[in-house]
Amino acid sequence: MDGNLGRPAPRIRQVLDTAEATWDEALLLFLERSGYREETYHTFSYSPLSGDDGEVAGLLCVVTEETDRVIGERRLKTLRSLAGELSKTITEQEVVSCIARCLGENQKDLPFTLLYLFTEDGAKPALPAQPELRKVTRPRQSQFD
């Protein structure tokens, strides 16, 4: 059983004790939505509420979902990096290495990528480079498996 059951979370306790507002920006939460676990980001704002006697009587917690903004910024960063680095390339091998490196930096959106080059007649693909794959650790088997 959770040891905090029935007690306010630390962030809430801080606002109630100090009467100072605080926030958590772009907090990563994995939520079950549409039948699968989804990466989401939320900003939580905690503000104290005063009672008639001027003492803190409660708090207001406003939550704003920022998933689209956070993921969009991350993807734009990849595109900016790719565009900036490609402008410095000259040879085919430099282009291939640049693409592999830039795409390999964004493991959250691109956990794996394959880059193919085709012969001039378009008949035969070749795999000139693969970004380094991170080793995935296997989760421990639970007692319910």
Side-chain angles (χ1 to χ4, degrees):
M1 178 173 266
D2 183 3
N4 287 325
L5 194 58
R7 288 183 273 167
R11 191 62 94 186
I12 294 170
R13 174 61 36 216
Q14 177 185 352
V15 172
L16 295 175
D17 290 346
T18 66
E20 292 179 10
T22 188
W23 68 92
D24 292 306
E25 189 172 347
L27 186 66
L28 171 62
L29 299 173
F30 288 96
L31 300 180
E32 256 331 289
R33 298 199 294 200
S34 304
Y36 63 93
R37 196 170 161 201
E38 185 179 340
E39 168 191 14
T40 66
Y41 295 87
H42 298 78
T43 292
F44 291 79
S45 172
Y46 306 90
S47 301
L49 298 175
S50 300
D52 292 336
D53 60 0
E55 297 295 316
V56 176
L59 68 87
L60 172 66
C61 179
V62 178
V63 181
T64 305
E65 183 167 357
E66 298 192 289
T67 304
D68 290 341
R69 179 188 65 80
V70 171
I71 292 175
E73 286 177 0
R74 187 173 66 213
R75 290 176 179 169
L76 279 174
K77 179 181 175 190
T78 299
L79 291 174
R80 275 193 298 272
S81 172
L82 184 58
E85 293 296 316
L86 278 174
S87 69
K88 302 172 191 171
T89 62
I90 296 173
T91 68
E92 184 177 278
Q93 185 53 48
E94 289 173 338
V95 170
V96 168
S97 296
C98 173
I99 292 171
R101 184 178 59 258
C102 290
L103 297 183
E105 289 172 357
N106 186 351
Q107 293 289 309
K108 288 185 178 179
D109 292 315
L110 304 165
F112 66 92
T113 58
L114 298 174
L115 174 63
Y116 288 93
L117 292 180
F118 286 83
T119 55
E120 287 190 31
D121 63 2
K124 186 176 180 186
L127 186 62
Q130 294 173 281
E132 183 179 322
L133 295 176
R134 292 187 316 187
K135 183 177 179 182
V136 177
T137 56
R138 188 177 202 150
R140 291 186 320 194
Q141 193 171 13
S142 75
Q143 63 185 7
F144 302 108
D145 289 342

